[in-house]
């Protein structure tokens, strides 16, 4: 294990926590520590916010042109390309992903930087001209950076979630303080190093590694923070919104999901189509051991197809190869922590107690690490906790329907609304169901892909606001209307005194 690293970056200086506290970072594949980071606290956070504030109020970054900002983001993309293997391996070890997933994450992070670079570079810098109905009025709407942004991120996609915030925040000309998950902070520290290497002015990017209830909570309430963008669970997200309320800062929340994967029998008419639908249902539920906000954790399958579909799904789930993400042939890594493993075990136990039928998994394999076997729970219903609450583990529940209306009702029967899919060969049905699903992303005959150009976010308790796409940039901006009168004249609303003088 390496010595404690200085993982707090404030105003251009890497440093340890003021208290001297540190935290061991565990490899979830064997539960042993492999790095030590600084465990920041409230004073470290205040220092970081002060640095970001000074860099915003008096520094050069908010005053750069869009072309300059785009150029920096593209340099970061090049550096990510250069360090792809290194960062991919780090992400794999820290978050328990396969090495290939780690590499793909780095590619997606690079794409986010390139997307927001192109978006600002191609904008009309003059703003939107408004027709005020008079030749004497020049009216224009412009967008400006919002100010100091607090960015709080989760452990499942540490670098990717950070990039969906950092890239648009910088593209818009903001300065920021980021607080990565205390469980998986390492790749975000590396990303801040790359921003500095790319030439970002000191103070524009600050990072405080540390816990949510101190560093995160302080960022959310801090009066000098103008915006807090949070990705994480519902419980922490509501705390962030409450803490942010007193200072009326802008709040963006990307929270959890309980995402339906609706399969109609007509999607499985041929053996090839059946294989595709089963394969994608496995991918939807079990990629990254189900620790995905958009995991397709609720299979909602037409009753006539259920037995055949679930039998094949369970057979294939039982063959998923678990192991350390860097080992050849491994398809699924461990859960991220002992707490996440315990949570998964508890949900499976509660489901079985409530009458679910175990078709695959339901146990940990022998050996070290936080592994749990991909689990298929048949005969579930909408009242079970495992169907209603986010497990965030490799657990797939199965419900059935007989009519299209029933399928839609089940799919929408969640307090969340992040993502969902419908599988059907009937194009009209696909459009009808897609229109009725109350989810921020709807896939038709697919599951999981996203595009940096298309907004990501949720209905209901899945959050407030959107990341990616033009709206993902708009989150980091204030809008200003500038109204210029070329021929000012008195208004004469308060004309009494004038009339008296004239009399
Ligand atoms: P979490 O809520 O426990 O933690 C998220 C972050 O918030 C961490 O950095 C944590 O330290 C911090 N935090 C915790 N308490 C805080 C507080 N009181 N004030 C401020 N910050 C605080 O979530 P997690 O377990 O790290 O991540 C899993 C959750 O994230 C899941 O619910 C998942 O669905 C969600 N998620 C959502 C998306 C999305 O795009 N909607 C993406 C990834 C993950």
């Amino acid at each position: 294990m390496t010595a404690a690293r200085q993982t707090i970056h404030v105003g251009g200086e890497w440093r340890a926590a003021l208290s001297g506290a540190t935290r061991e970072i565990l490899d979830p594949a064997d539960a042993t520590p492999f790095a030590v980071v600084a465990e920041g606290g409230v004073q470290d956070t205040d220092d970081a916010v002060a640095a970001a504030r000074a860099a915003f109020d008096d520094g050069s970054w908010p005053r750069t042109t869009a072309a300059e900002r785009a150029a920096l983001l593209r340099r970061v993309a090049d550096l990510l390309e250069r360090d792809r293997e290194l960062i991919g391996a780090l992400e794999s070890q820290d978050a328990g992903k396969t090495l290939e997933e780690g590499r793909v994450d780095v590619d997606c992070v690079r794409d986010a930087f390139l997307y927001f670079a192109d978006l600002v570079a191609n904008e009309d810098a003059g703003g939107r001209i408004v027709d005020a109905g008079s030749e004497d009025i020049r009216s224009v709407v412009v967008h400006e950076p919002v100010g100091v942004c607090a960015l709080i991120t989760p452990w499942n996609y540490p670098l990717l979630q950070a990039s969906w915030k950092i890239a648009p925040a910088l593209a818009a000309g903001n300065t920021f303080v980021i607080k990565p998950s205390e469980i998986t902070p390492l790749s975000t520290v590396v990303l801040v190093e790359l921003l500095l290497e790319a030439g970002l002015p000191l103070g524009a990017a600050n990072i405080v590694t540390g816990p949510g209830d101190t560093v995160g909570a302080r960022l959310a309430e801090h009066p000098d923070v103008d915006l807090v963008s949070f990705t994480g669970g519902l419980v922490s997200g509501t705390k962030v919104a409450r803490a942010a309320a007193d200072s009326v800062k802008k709040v963006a929340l990307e929270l959890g999901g309980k995402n339906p994967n609706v399969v109609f029998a007509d999607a499985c008419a041929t053996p090839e189509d059946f294989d595709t639908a089963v394969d994608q249902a496995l991918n939807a539920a079990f990629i990254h051991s189900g620790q995905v906000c958009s995991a397709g954790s609720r299979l909602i399958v037409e009753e006539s197809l259920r037995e055949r579909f679930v039998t094949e799904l369970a057979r294939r789930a039982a063959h998923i190869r678990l192991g350390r993400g860097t080992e050849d042939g491994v398809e699924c890594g461990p859960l991220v922590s002992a707490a996440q493993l315990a949570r998964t075990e508890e949900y499976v136990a509660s489901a079985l107690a409530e009458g679910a039928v175990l078709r695959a998994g339901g146990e940990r394999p022998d050996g070290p690490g936080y592994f749990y076997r991909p689990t298929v729970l048949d005969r579930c219903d909408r009242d079970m906790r495992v169907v209603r609450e986010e497990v965030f583990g490799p657990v797939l529940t199965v419900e059935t329907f007989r009519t299209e209306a029933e399928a839609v009702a089940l799919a929408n029967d969640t307090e969340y609304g992040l993502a969902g899919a419908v599988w059907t060969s009937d194009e009209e049905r696909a459009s009808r169901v897609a229109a009725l699903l109350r989810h921020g992303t709807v896939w038709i005959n697919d599951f999981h892909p996203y595009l940096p150009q298309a907004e990501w976010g949720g209905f209901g308790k899945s959050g407030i606001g959107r990341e990616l796409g033009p709206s993902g940039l708009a989150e980091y901006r204030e809008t200003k209307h500038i109204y210029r009168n070329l021929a000012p004249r008195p208004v004469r609303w308060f004309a009494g005194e004038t009339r008296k003088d004239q009399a």
Side-chain angles (χ1 to χ4, degrees), residues 457-498:
F459 287 31
K461 289 186 181 171
S462 286
I464 301 173
R466 291 292 181 269
E467 297 196 301
L468 301 179
S471 311
L473 179 64
E475 292 280 0
Y476 292 91
R477 285 174 155 169
E478 286 287 10
T479 303
K480 183 184 282 180
H481 175 202
I482 301 174
Y483 178 107
R484 180 190 302 251
N485 191 341
L486 300 174
R489 283 180 285 272
V491 180
R492 297 292 182 227
W493 179 274
F494 301 109
E497 195 58 29
T498 315

Side-chain angles (χ1 to χ4, degrees), residues 75-88 106-107 110 190 193-195 197-198:
R75 282 199 294 281
V76 175
D78 289 344
L79 295 174
L80 285 161
E81 184 84 48
R82 183 194 71 188
D83 294 348
R84 180 177 187 260
E85 280 304 304
L86 203 96
I87 302 172
V106 181
D107 295 342
R110 181 203 56 207
V190 172
E193 287 170 349
L194 295 188
L195 295 175
E197 186 180 343

